[in-house]
Amino acid sequence: MSGGTRFLAAFNEIEDCFRAASGTDEHVGFSQMARAYADKKRLPLPQRDALLAFASLRNAITHGRFYDGHPIAEPVPEVVDQIEQLRDQIKSPPKALTVLGVMDVCLARPDEPISAVLEHVRRFDYSQLPVYGETGCVGILTTNAIARWLAHQLTINKGLAEEEPVSQVLCFAEPHERALLVRRSITASQAIDRLSHGGEAGIPVTALIITDNGKNAEKPLAVIVADDLPALTAALEFT
């Protein structure tokens, strides 16, 4: 199969995916569907730009001359590889949980003494710990919140109250230091977007907690934090 034929085949598959996802008829153009799909699925900017560039290239190929059913205009092999990779990502978007894997999530309890959490931080270098009470997740405890609590203790109490419960330390969290519960079906691109803009009024969140259905009382399967962004971004790259 020639490069031009491979390119058109991949392009048509992408177009079919967009049309099926949006329920639009053949009168709606590819670029319009691509922009709507990219917004809905939170595709990264390189993928958005590539889709629009591919649309222009498709027009150039299809409006050119054909010989024996094959386009004379041939895209370079790198472009053919790119559109085929992007087609695969659109048809089967990489899931965040697939990229990062199910984790043995370390949890803190609201009534647990902060000394136990500090031990977890020391031994395992955790920077965020989900806090779960009887009804489910009540927040995310960060090392930044712990540092503010420590500063308060040293200033007000002239010492450390190591038996103070986690719930009290959690009060020192800032507005962006919160966790967002998400479904296990969340894609890598959606996870990147939610971590950056998932809070109220577009405020970034500290962590995403993946559960089966994104429900508060469900067991956490994984916790996504800023350190996971390189792995998630790499899963979306195409060369």
Side-chain angles (χ1 to χ4, degrees):
M1 185 182 294
S2 69
T5 303
R6 284 173 56 195
F7 178 91
L8 292 176
F11 187 95
N12 290 338
E13 287 187 72
I14 294 173
E15 187 172 32
D16 289 343
C17 287
F18 289 169
R19 209 170 294 284
S22 62
T24 55
D25 58 31
E26 61 184 11
H27 300 294
V28 178
F30 178 87
S31 295
Q32 181 179 341
M33 290 191 298
R35 291 188 181 94
Y37 185 91
D39 289 340
K40 181 178 180 180
K41 299 298 184 179
R42 299 295 190 262
L43 293 186
L45 186 59
Q47 278 84 335
R48 295 169 183 250
D49 292 343
L51 287 169
L52 298 179
F54 293 152
S56 297
L57 181 55
R58 189 278 302 265
N59 292 338
I61 293 175
T62 55
H63 293 158
R65 296 178 61 188
F66 278 68
Y67 178 77
D68 195 22
H70 299 286
I72 292 178
E74 282 283 299
V76 297
E78 291 80 5
V79 171
V80 177
D81 290 340
Q82 281 187 345
I83 194 171
E84 289 180 338
Q85 291 178 36
L86 188 52
R87 172 204 60 197
D88 294 341
Q89 289 185 10
I90 289 172
K91 294 181 69 174
S92 299
K95 301 290 193 296
L97 197 57
T98 301
V99 175
L100 301 175
V102 175
M103 306 173 185
D104 184 13
V105 181
C106 181
L107 305 177
R109 300 189 312 274
D111 58 350
E112 187 175 12
I114 189 60
S115 58
V117 173
L118 292 175
E119 180 63 15
H120 289 317
V121 172
R122 183 189 69 80
R123 291 181 59 193
F124 305 110
D125 197 29
Y126 292 137
S127 57
Q128 299 96 358
L129 280 85
V131 181
Y132 269 68
E134 293 182 358
T135 59
C137 182
V138 297
I140 189 89
L141 185 63
T142 69
T143 50
N144 286 336
I146 293 174
R148 286 189 290 272
W149 171 79
L150 287 171
H152 176 79
Q153 290 288 311
L154 293 173
T155 301
I156 303 301
N157 298 328
K158 308 301 182 182
L160 299 181
E162 294 187 6
E163 297 309 306
E164 189 158 9
V166 167
S167 58
Q168 292 299 314
V169 183
L170 201 58
C171 295
F172 288 83
E174 293 187 344
H176 70 278
E177 293 175 337
R178 59 178 63 197
L180 185 66
L181 292 162
V182 296
R183 297 174 181 266
R184 68 182 301 151
S185 59
I186 189 171
T187 66
S189 60
Q190 289 171 332
I192 293 170
D193 181 76
R194 296 280 180 85
L195 199 59
S196 303
H197 310 101
E200 295 179 1
I203 299 174
V205 295
T206 298
L208 304 178
I209 299 177
I210 299 180
T211 71
D212 281 329
N213 300 291
K215 301 297 184 181
N216 193 56
E218 292 177 330
K219 177 183 177 181
L221 302 174
V223 177
I224 302 177
V225 297
D227 286 347
D228 297 313
L229 288 175
L232 293 172
T233 301
L236 300 174
E237 291 178 350
F238 61 102
T239 57

